[in-house]
Amino acid sequence: MESQPSTIAETTAARHFSKHPELLEMLSAIKSSSKFMLQLIEDILNLSRIESGKIELRIEPCNLADLASRHVATNRLIAARKKIQVVLDLGPDLPAVEADPRKIEQVMENLLSNATKFSPPGATVTMTLIPMGAQVRIEVRDQGPGIPEAERGKLFHPFQRTSVKPTGGEKSSGLGLAIARRIVEAHGGRIGVESEVGVGSTFFVNLPLQAKAAS
């Protein structure tokens, strides 16, 4: 019986919003803006800590295939709203990697979410893991509009945006790739992009099997 008032309140609210769909749309917009602002604050704090030399890596054995599988599964649900397919392609005999799994997950999430933001409905986003001797290469390939060569230098710097716009009107803080770059470099790796206008972009991370000590 204790749950009855809550149920009645929810039912009443649902009836109210069904009669006033503009209120539901307004609430949805407020929720979206609030989520973006919280993410922006978190990104600014993360970048501030990194820039001040306070990035801490908790190095441990991590399975990149497991990390990639988890984030691909999550992003498939989000991408489905835009009818975008997210595919995972794992290379054979992927070696174990010594890295900070949470930080690497942050990089993967940024690359996958960006690929979805900038891909048109019906496109395919592909994450590939490739063993390369003393490194593992992580690639995220999209079928978006591509990035003009003159603008690619902006990508990994804070608050820098290119002329390419998200295909679904999604918002961006302009900090995600800057943070990803600092994380990858702290591991002794390299992040970059290959792109062709009208064809798409491939963001890549070359990650050493043994990350250097955190600084």
Side-chain angles (χ1 to χ4, degrees), residues 54-163:
K54 294 182 180 178
I55 182 171
E56 296 180 2
L57 301 183
R58 299 179 182 271
I59 304 298
E60 60 183 77
C62 64
N63 188 318
L64 291 183
D66 285 350
L67 299 184
S69 297
R70 181 158 61 246
H71 282 277
V72 164
T74 301
N75 278 272
R76 276 179 180 148
L77 300 175
I78 299 170
R81 301 172 190 169
K82 295 176 67 176
K83 295 182 171 55
I84 293 173
Q85 184 179 11
V86 182
V87 175
L88 177 60
D89 181 10
L90 298 176
D93 303 319
L94 283 170
V97 173
E98 295 283 333
D100 185 325
R102 293 170 186 79
K103 294 291 193 299
I104 298 304
E105 281 187 284
Q106 190 174 351
V107 173
M108 288 181 172
E109 176 60 28
N110 179 268
L111 298 184
L112 281 170
S113 62
N114 274 356
T116 300
K117 283 180 185 177
F118 292 96
S119 290
T124 299
V125 169
T126 305
M127 171 175 272
T128 306
L129 272 60
I130 309 166
M132 296 176 57
Q135 298 181 327
V136 171
R137 185 179 177 96
I138 304 168
E139 293 184 351
V140 176
R141 184 172 67 255
D142 65 46
Q143 296 176 332
I147 305 160
E149 185 175 359
E151 300 182 19
R152 291 172 202 165
K154 299 179 179 180
L155 288 170
F156 301 100
H157 297 281
F159 300 110
Q160 296 295 310
R161 293 184 176 87
T162 68
S163 59

Side-chain angles (χ1 to χ4, degrees), residues 42-54 179:
E42 183 178 342
D43 285 346
I44 290 173
L45 291 174
N46 279 337
L47 186 63
S48 177
R49 284 192 290 266
I50 291 171
E51 293 289 3
S52 64
K54 294 182 180 178
I179 293 172

